[in-house]
Amino acid sequence: MRKIVLLSVAVSLISFTSWAANGWGIYGAYWDAGDAADGVGLGLRIDIEMVPSVNLQVRAAYFNDLADDVSGIDVDLEVIPIEFGLAMLMPVSEAADFYVGAGLGYYRFNLDINAPGPVSKDPDNELGYYMVAGFEAKISDNGADYGKVDTSLFGEFKYTMVTIDEVSLGGAAADVDLDGPGFNLGLMIRW
């Protein structure tokens, strides 16, 4: 059910941007998630121009397994970050832009622990923050004046700050810090 809701939100945002000079993209993501493990995932990014050189960026990603097994106990952590932020564009050339930004994220967690004893399997979803610095380079341009579509390749460094409060395993509760760097590489379509 939650995947259908996430897909519906993504399609709605893509439809919203179709009338503006904006874009959407898909990307592969890597996240070194602090106390958990590092993982790879897939994401969707939508850019909406707010004013010249400032874009609202909406991101949604899916990380299937960001957990290490602990002392022989099977631990699986699924994370769906949904993030909203502003990015300031700094043109490097006519075909390339550098950007920096920051934003707020809502992080949905699904934790599965196969262990004897009392276990907290449903941590609360949390709010967090992120900072991003990236580079976008145009790889194709259809050359039209009306109905122009550009395709760009983008790469970005992202640092995420989020903590899962009080996960318990065997009666002992602890916070799980997921602060860590990440990298995204993807393709943007702009019109």
Side-chain angles (χ1 to χ4, degrees):
M1 179 67 177
R2 69 176 167 235
K3 291 180 183 178
I4 292 171
V5 171
L6 187 61
L7 182 61
S8 299
V9 169
V11 169
S12 298
L13 286 171
I14 290 169
S15 300
F16 171 72
T17 63
S18 65
W19 59 268
N22 302 298
W24 64 271
I26 57 173
Y27 61 91
Y30 168 81
W31 183 10
D32 183 4
D35 290 341
D38 55 342
V40 293
L42 293 173
L44 173 71
R45 183 179 116 189
I46 298 172
D47 279 15
I48 302 168
E49 185 178 52
M50 304 301 287
V51 295
S53 297
V54 177
N55 286 356
L56 170 67
Q57 292 185 338
V58 180
R59 303 162 189 272
Y62 176 74
F63 293 91
N64 186 35
D65 190 10
L66 278 181
D68 280 329
D69 293 347
V70 179
S71 301
I73 297 171
D74 184 26
V75 179
D76 293 318
L77 176 62
E78 176 184 288
V79 181
I80 301 174
I82 301 170
E83 300 166 323
F84 299 87
L86 293 176
M88 185 172 74
L89 306 174
M90 294 168 269
V92 176
S93 70
E94 195 168 305
D97 289 323
F98 177 74
Y99 57 91
V100 294
L104 178 68
Y106 175 76
Y107 300 85
R108 188 171 182 345
F109 301 110
N110 185 17
L111 180 63
D112 187 25
I113 301 173
N114 294 322
V119 174
S120 168
K121 287 192 177 186
D122 256 340
D124 292 335
N125 299 328
E126 300 289 344
L127 291 178
Y129 308 94
Y130 75 92
M131 296 178 294
V132 66
F135 187 84
E136 186 173 329
K138 190 182 300 184
I139 57 174
S140 76
D141 180 354
N142 71 352
D145 290 331
Y146 180 75
K148 181 177 181 162
V149 176
D150 298 331
T151 306
S152 301
L153 184 64
F154 74 92
E156 56 190 20
F157 171 79
K158 186 171 149 226
Y159 193 86
T160 305
M161 296 159 280
V162 64
T163 301
I164 304 175
D165 291 332
E166 296 186 10
V167 173
S168 65
L169 180 60
D175 292 346
V176 178
D177 182 12
L178 299 181
D179 293 359
F183 302 94
N184 299 332
L185 182 63
L187 190 67
M188 287 292 292
I189 297 174
R190 295 193 178 277
W191 51 88

